[in-house]
């Protein structure tokens, strides 16, 4: 059974940093593109970042470029999101998601349960 | 960026009703469209992809259609467990973008 379990969320002050983790199991993690998607309280879904199987390609939504870094450790079956210079508008539930198939083209077929990040003083 | 616009934003319906949700892309996306269902406090769940392909395990009362810029999600006979929020998403280009959501409520 495919499982994605996020951790690392919490309350952080504006300008602060946080590192999210996603532990994957039930599939060959190193064979899939992975993503982070977020959802502000009471709002819709927003894609944040993608990373290729070997970490050689990474893509970000404009609003987080230069502040967030997606990474992965295939030996640990783990995905990460390093978030720096956090702003109030980054407050959201952050979901780890797997991309369907082996390419970057496709929907998100499995999602974690999410971890809440709150940016507030 | 490709903008995705869903309509309606909310919808009231009864068990057994047939409902349709529409998603319009700001440019052609060549059927690179997925539909998700999200219940309160839960992660989204993939229902359909490639505009009309049903994800494994999803009931056949869900169907999708469309082409170019216009797509629809249809639920043929609403069940109690279908009351949720539905999102469309394009994966034709980066950034991946979602519609704003359609909240399906019980009448």
């Amino acid at each position: 059974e495919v499982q994605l379990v996020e951790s690392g969320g919490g309350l952080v002050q504006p300008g602060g940093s946080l590192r999210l983790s996603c532990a994957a199991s039930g599939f060959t993690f190193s064979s899939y593109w992975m993503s982070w998607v977020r959802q502000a309280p009471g709002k819709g879904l927003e894609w944040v970042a993608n990373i290729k199987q070997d970490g050689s390609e990474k893509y970000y939504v404009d609003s987080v470029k230069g502040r967030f870094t997606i990474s992965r450790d295939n030996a640990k079956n783990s995905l990460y999101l390093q978030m720096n210079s956090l702003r109030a508008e980054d407050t959201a539930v952050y979901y780890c998601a797997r991309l369907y198939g082996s390419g970057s083209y496709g929907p998100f077929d499995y999602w974690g349960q999410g971890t809440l990040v709150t940016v507030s003083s | 960026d490709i903008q995705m616009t869903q309509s309606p934003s909310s919808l009231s319906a009864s068990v057994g009703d047939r409902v349709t949700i529409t998603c319009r892309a700001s440019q052609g996306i060549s059927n690179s469209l997925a539909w998700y269902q999200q219940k309160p406090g839960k992660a989204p769940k993939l229902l359909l992809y490639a505009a009309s392909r049903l994800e494994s395990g999803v009931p056949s009362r869900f169907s999708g259609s469309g082409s170019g810029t216009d797509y629809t999600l249809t639920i043929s006979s609403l069940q109690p467990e279908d009351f949720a929020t539905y999102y469309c998403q394009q994966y034709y280009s980066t950034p991946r973008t979602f519609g704003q959501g359609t909240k399906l409520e019980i009448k």
Side-chain angles (χ1 to χ4, degrees):
Chain A
E1 178 193 6
V2 172
Q3 284 199 318
L4 299 168
V5 180
E6 301 93 337
S7 60
L11 175 64
V12 61
Q13 292 188 337
S17 298
L18 212 55
R19 188 196 196 205
L20 305 183
S21 299
C22 171
S25 61
F27 66 103
T28 305
F29 179 73
S30 59
S31 296
Y32 290 86
W33 282 74
M34 296 296 296
S35 296
W36 289 97
V37 177
R38 67 184 179 183
Q39 186 170 35
K43 303 296 184 182
L45 299 164
E46 180 182 40
W47 168 79
V48 173
N50 276 1
I51 186 169
K52 192 177 180 179
Q53 288 91 332
D54 62 0
S56 61
E57 294 182 37
K58 304 175 185 181
Y59 301 94
Y60 301 90
V61 68
D62 282 350
S63 60
V64 309
K65 282 180 183 175
R67 300 188 301 123
F68 289 12
T69 302
I70 189 172
S71 64
R72 64 193 295 163
D73 185 336
N74 289 339
K76 295 183 177 179
N77 291 336
S78 293
L79 177 71
Y80 306 101
L81 186 67
Q82 177 66 43
M83 304 186 295
N84 298 330
S85 303
L86 282 161
R87 306 167 180 167
E89 54 265 35
D90 296 318
T91 294
V93 173
Y94 284 75
Y95 294 101
C96 165
R98 190 183 83 168
L99 266 76
Y100 175 92
S102 60
S104 64
Y105 173 85
F108 305 110
D109 62 351
Y110 286 94
W111 299 64
Q113 85 289 350
T115 187
L116 176 62
V117 173
T118 304
V119 184
S120 175
S121 55
Chain B
D1 299 2
I2 297 176
Q3 309 303 316
M4 306 299 291
T5 304
Q6 283 181 237
S7 60
S9 295
S10 63
L11 175 60
S12 294
S14 301
V15 173
D17 284 354
R18 178 185 179 92
V19 299
T20 297
I21 298 169
T22 297
C23 182
R24 173 166 289 176
S26 59
Q27 65 185 75
I29 57 171
S30 299
N31 288 4
S32 304
L33 184 96
W35 289 98
Y36 301 88
Q37 176 193 68
Q38 187 179 34
K39 296 183 178 179
K42 300 295 186 181
K45 173 187 174 183
L46 177 64
L47 298 176
L48 297 108
Y49 61 98
S52 61
R53 295 187 180 181
L54 205 62
E55 174 69 345
S56 176
V58 174
S60 59
R61 63 181 179 273
F62 291 91
S63 63
S65 64
S67 63
T69 60
D70 295 327
Y71 299 86
T72 60
L73 169 69
T74 299
I75 310 172
S76 60
S77 178
L78 274 173
Q79 299 302 301
E81 61 269 28
D82 299 337
F83 292 94
T85 300
Y86 293 84
Y87 293 93
C88 63
Q89 179 236 333
Q90 65 81 18
Y91 50 88
Y92 180 76
S93 69
T94 298
R96 307 296 195 238
T97 46
F98 292 85
Q100 80 279 14
T102 295
K103 187 173 184 179
L104 180 52
E105 298 176 305
I106 301 174
K107 184 182 287 183

